[in-house]
Amino acid sequence: MAADGIAIVAGRGALPRLIAEDCRRRRIPYRVVIFEGVTLDWLPGHPVLHEIFEKPGKLFADLRGAGCGVVTFAGGMTRPKLKPTRFDFKFIGMAPRLLSGLKAGDDATLRMVAEIFEAEGFRIRAPHEILRGLLVAPGVASRLHPGPADRVDTDRAFAIVTALGAADVGQCAVVAQGLCLGLESIQGTDAMLEFVAATGAAYRRDPAGGRGVLYKGPKPGQDWRIDLPAIGPETIRRAAAAGLAGIAVQAGGVLMIGREDCLATADAAGLFLWGYEPEPAEEETA
Amino acid sequence: MAADGIAIVAGRGALPRLIAEDCRRRRIPYRVVIFEGVTLDWLPGHPVLHEIFEKPGKLFADLRGAGCGVVTFAGGMTRPKLKPTRFDFKFIGMAPRLLSGLKAGDDATLRMVAEIFEAEGFRIRAPHEILRGLLVAPGVASRLHPGPADRVDTDRAFAIVTALGAADVGQCAVVAQGLCLGLESIQGTDAMLEFVAATGAAYRRDPAGGRGVLYKGPKPGQDWRIDLPAIGPETIRRAAAAGLAGIAVQAGGVLMIGREDCLATADAAGLFLWGYEPEPAEEETA
């Protein structure tokens, strides 16, 4: 049994499906791991392991039995409500660590989960290490390019997200004409863009000025192997509905889910998509 | 003519009216300065100077003529759209400075306005230096007190607002059970509380946990003489509508507009009102 099989711990969204399809295409052995409470409509045709949070002993045994030595976490998951009557011996042995870890912030919880898998001998790999082309590359990917006002707004939004990151909050902000129109809280990017769509129009004072930029990037404390921010076609549609000029994301630090669809959506809506590099590359000396 | 008269540059809200009434009660000479575009319904019975932004020469002459050597800025104002055909000589002489200052961030613009008045020989005084009891004092003012979970949420919200302040954005945040449910952008506190009311309920995972706290405090770069954050009865009503447990504001750094009304509203809604001190007072040694 090959221990280089990949276990895809599947959450919401298109990412786990894209990885599973990629594994199938490239004939890499894989299993889709579904925890109770996660509903996915793309499972038929894929090899699946059904698991529950309370029984990590069964999970590890299933993974070993399927030859999966590699684990990747793909797509958002909701924090589970645990039923203590179902705990297995493995869970009870790790209980103090698990229970305090689940009460911590998102970053700390995910780091704990990764460490538990590693202690069991599994290797953690990021989705973008398995599926090529997932990370946004430096430079403008869309037909439309950001103008000078958009670049100023992007710099400002980057500075704001960086400041927010120091408090372990949010991964994105909207800035138009120098004014901050939106900051991401726990409700996420879509909710913030809806807020901007409903309330932001009155604050673009200069009709000739920038229409605003959504900037998104990882927080400083994030474990890039298990949790990177992502954008998809829906992000782009909502940014367009909020009247923005485009989207800038930290180059190499944000996943673009469904690249073709994203680019087509951006070009159709007249938005730019920009892999932003906060520090300009230093010039090489001859 | 007494040069210790007070010119109240009146913006939105109840604050300028409260200062004017206080001056009248204490028989301090004063004028209410109304700029074009500001509409106020409480003016009858008060001595008023009508001014336009394009003619600072007229404004300064009117203030001197009325014996107003002291100027206080009270209530929010919208950035003016200037009509160049109306500029007076004074404006034209200060034009480069004025026009670049008006394009800067709020803090920078207000600092410039203050400096211009000072260069003309006027003294700037903060609303709370004229109207006693306006600043929120340390300690709990409401009947209800914050519980242990509320205190943890307040510390977290304070840390978040402090981080935001480094980027010159926002003066408040909402935190419940450790999760950030709202961050203030240019739309202001009321719009943020409306967002929390619409989207925040699903994120209070523990029914026995804290219902959430609104924290508000000044930004690090703010000029306390001309621009302090404020709360009023409407803030408290909206915090209650958002399902929060209470409001914490930086003690000594936030104005409470209409103190009696605020306390009655908070007590009726079952919210705490807390003058928060970020650093615990050091113990005195004998």
Side-chain angles (χ1 to χ4, degrees):
Chain A
M1 215 173 298
D4 54 355
I6 296 174
I8 305 162
V9 180
R12 285 182 299 270
L15 184 57
R17 174 176 59 79
L18 295 173
I19 297 173
E21 288 170 358
D22 188 63
C23 288
R24 188 165 55 187
R25 195 164 35 238
R26 291 158 63 200
R27 300 183 180 280
I28 298 168
Y30 70 101
R31 294 291 184 279
V32 181
V33 177
I34 304 292
F35 279 97
E36 195 182 38
V38 175
T39 324
L40 299 174
D41 57 6
W42 52 269
L43 288 179
H46 294 282
V48 174
L49 296 174
H50 289 279
E51 304 293 339
I52 64 174
F53 287 104
E54 292 91 339
K55 298 197 188 299
K58 173 183 178 301
L59 166 66
F60 297 142
D62 286 352
L63 293 181
R64 289 190 185 104
C68 291
V70 174
V71 176
T72 189
F73 296 89
M77 289 229 261
T78 309
R79 234 164 252 258
K81 281 180 190 156
L82 299 172
K83 293 177 190 153
T85 52
R86 307 203 296 188
F87 291 161
D88 68 7
F89 284 120
K90 194 68 164 178
F91 191 102
I92 291 165
M94 303 189 298
R97 189 172 174 201
L98 269 173
L99 295 176
S100 75
L102 283 169
K103 282 199 171 180
D106 280 351
D107 291 351
T109 301
L110 287 169
R111 256 194 308 274
M112 175 204 68
V113 170
E115 284 163 12
I116 285 173
F117 276 88
E118 285 174 334
E120 292 286 326
F122 298 96
R123 279 165 291 148
I124 306 291
R125 286 178 69 192
H128 61 268
E129 292 177 301
I130 297 168
L131 188 58
R132 301 285 172 82
L134 206 51
L135 286 177
V136 176
V140 177
S142 54
R143 219 177 292 146
L144 219 83
H145 281 238
D150 301 322
R151 290 173 181 272
V152 173
D153 284 341
T154 304
D155 288 340
R156 174 100 178 98
F158 169 75
I160 291 169
V161 171
T162 303
L164 262 187
D168 192 11
V169 179
Q171 301 176 316
C172 58
V174 171
V175 169
Q177 301 181 17
L179 298 174
C180 179
L181 299 185
L183 292 156
E184 190 188 40
S185 45
I186 189 78
Q187 297 89 332
T189 307
D190 287 357
M192 182 195 67
L193 287 172
E194 212 168 292
F195 174 74
V196 174
T199 64
Y203 297 91
R204 283 125 168 160
R205 295 175 298 203
D206 179 359
R211 288 184 289 129
V213 174
L214 167 68
Y215 173 81
K216 190 162 191 174
K219 288 180 284 182
Q222 247 165 293
D223 187 333
W224 286 35
R225 296 174 308 163
I226 43 175
D227 182 33
L228 274 187
I231 61 168
E234 183 63 18
T235 321
I236 296 161
R237 276 190 285 273
R238 283 176 185 264
L244 304 186
I247 298 175
V249 303
Q250 187 176 321
V254 172
L255 310 179
M256 198 192 289
I257 315 290
R259 185 182 163 80
E260 296 307 313
D261 196 358
C262 282
L263 292 181
T265 306
D267 287 340
L271 262 66
F272 66 79
L273 270 186
W274 178 19
Y276 173 82
E277 291 172 291
E279 298 284 352
E282 275 179 47
E283 275 179 40
E284 283 181 41
T285 50
Chain B
M1 218 172 296
D4 54 355
I6 296 174
I8 305 161
V9 180
R12 286 182 299 270
L15 185 57
R17 173 176 60 78
L18 295 173
I19 298 173
E21 288 170 358
D22 188 64
C23 287
R24 187 164 58 186
R25 195 163 36 237
R26 290 159 63 200
R27 298 182 182 281
I28 298 167
Y30 71 100
R31 294 290 185 279
V32 181
V33 177
I34 304 292
F35 279 96
E36 195 182 39
V38 176
T39 324
L40 299 173
D41 56 7
W42 53 268
L43 289 178
H46 294 282
V48 174
L49 297 174
H50 289 279
E51 305 294 339
I52 63 174
F53 288 104
E54 292 91 340
K55 297 195 188 300
K58 173 183 179 301
L59 166 66
F60 297 143
D62 286 352
L63 293 181
R64 290 191 185 103
C68 292
V70 173
V71 176
T72 190
F73 296 88
M77 289 229 262
T78 310
R79 235 164 251 259
K81 282 180 188 155
L82 299 171
K83 293 177 190 154
T85 52
R86 308 202 296 187
F87 291 161
D88 68 7
F89 285 119
K90 194 69 164 180
F91 191 102
I92 291 164
M94 302 188 299
R97 187 169 173 204
L98 269 172
L99 295 175
S100 74
L102 283 169
K103 283 200 172 182
D106 280 350
D107 291 352
T109 301
L110 287 169
R111 256 195 307 275
M112 174 203 70
V113 170
E115 283 163 12
I116 285 174
F117 276 88
E118 285 174 333
E120 292 285 327
F122 297 96
R123 279 164 291 147
I124 306 291
R125 285 178 69 195
H128 62 267
E129 292 177 301
I130 297 167
L131 188 58
R132 301 284 173 83
L134 205 51
L135 286 178
V136 176
V140 178
S142 54
R143 219 177 294 148
L144 219 83
H145 281 238
D150 302 323
R151 290 174 181 270
V152 173
D153 283 341
T154 303
D155 288 340
R156 174 99 177 97
F158 168 75
I160 291 168
V161 171
T162 303
L164 262 186
D168 192 11
V169 179
Q171 302 176 316
C172 57
V174 171
V175 170
Q177 301 180 17
L179 298 175
C180 179
L181 299 185
L183 292 156
E184 190 186 42
S185 46
I186 189 77
Q187 298 89 331
T189 307
D190 287 357
M192 181 195 65
L193 288 172
E194 212 167 291
F195 174 74
V196 174
T199 63
Y203 297 91
R204 282 122 168 163
R205 294 175 298 202
D206 179 0
R211 288 184 290 129
V213 174
L214 166 69
Y215 173 82
K216 190 162 190 174
K219 287 179 284 182
Q222 247 166 292
D223 186 333
W224 286 36
R225 295 173 310 163
I226 44 176
D227 182 33
L228 275 187
I231 60 167
E234 183 63 19
T235 320
I236 296 160
R237 275 189 286 272
R238 283 177 184 262
L244 305 186
I247 299 176
V249 303
Q250 187 176 321
V254 173
L255 310 179
M256 197 192 290
I257 315 290
R259 185 181 163 80
E260 297 306 313
D261 197 359
C262 282
L263 292 181
T265 306
D267 288 339
L271 262 66
F272 67 79
L273 270 186
W274 178 18
Y276 173 83
E277 292 172 292
E279 298 284 352
E282 277 179 46
E283 275 179 41
E284 285 181 40
T285 49

